[in-house]
Amino acid sequence: MVLAAAAWAAPVAVSAQSRGARDEVEAQHNQGNRLRQQGRNVEARDLFRALYERTHEPRAIIRQGLAEMALEDWLAADEHLRAGLAVTGDAFVQENRARIEEQLRVVSSRVGTLVIECLPEGATVTINGDPRGRCPLSAPLRLRVGPALVRVEHPGMNPVEEQSSVVAGDDPTTLRIRLQPLVTGDPVAEQEAAAVNRRRARMFEIGRANV
């Protein structure tokens, strides 16, 4: 009889614990929403990020993206709003899809896509000084709208710097770069290459200042 009573009591305890966990999640969502309403978006972003890591709920990553949008962290907002919208069969997403998509359109006006096709394989790619991977890149890059200074380099090859302009929307800008073998012992050619790189860097700085 004691064993039977214990067996029946266990599901009740688990159910109560589950309700408590759900209540805690709801309380954190409410707290995060209040932080956003108060303009405390850094705190709201961090709260929703931690909440998503715990629950993997689409509404948590969407609300994180909305806080990032308020902070003008356009790339992060773009990534996280898209990730939330990609979840199918979720009640929150279905109910709020139109409003979320409206916010994503605002974010997308600040973000564009750059496709870099480069050779040889294994060459490193940096954009505005930030490492972005090796050729061939696994996917198109989402970047802030505006000038992008792309550098591709590989041992034994002449590095190349090209300035590109990233435009808003999902239609990509494509940049094709093929490195050539390094020719040593030609000081004139080396000076000319250095001058070209300096001119490209100055063009990038001027373009960035005008954004």
Side-chain angles (χ1 to χ4, degrees), residues 72-153:
E72 298 187 1
D73 188 353
W74 305 117
L75 293 175
D78 180 76
E79 176 186 352
H80 296 138
L81 291 178
R82 288 177 185 274
L85 283 171
V87 178
T88 58
D90 180 81
F92 177 87
V93 174
Q94 291 174 344
E95 181 179 350
N96 297 280
R97 179 172 292 276
R99 283 181 290 178
I100 300 166
E101 289 177 342
E102 181 181 355
Q103 297 304 305
L104 181 58
R105 283 192 291 272
V106 174
V107 172
S108 294
S109 69
R110 310 297 207 284
V111 179
T113 302
L114 179 64
V115 174
I116 300 176
E117 299 176 359
C118 52
L119 287 171
E121 290 189 10
T124 58
V125 178
T126 59
I127 300 178
N128 299 339
D130 297 325
R132 300 307 296 259
R134 294 180 180 274
C135 305
L137 297 178
S138 59
L141 301 172
R142 295 289 282 174
L143 301 169
R144 281 176 173 263
V145 167
L149 185 64
V150 179
R151 180 179 176 88
V152 180
E153 54 189 332

Side-chain angles (χ1 to χ4, degrees), residues 4-41:
W8 281 105
V12 174
V14 170
S15 178
Q17 184 179 26
S18 178
R19 283 197 302 271
R22 287 198 300 270
D23 290 345
E24 181 188 355
V25 168
E26 290 302 320
Q28 289 193 305
H29 273 284
N30 291 335
Q31 180 186 355
N33 288 335
R34 285 194 298 271
L35 290 170
R36 286 180 51 218
Q37 292 166 1
Q38 296 166 6
R40 297 161 62 184
N41 288 292

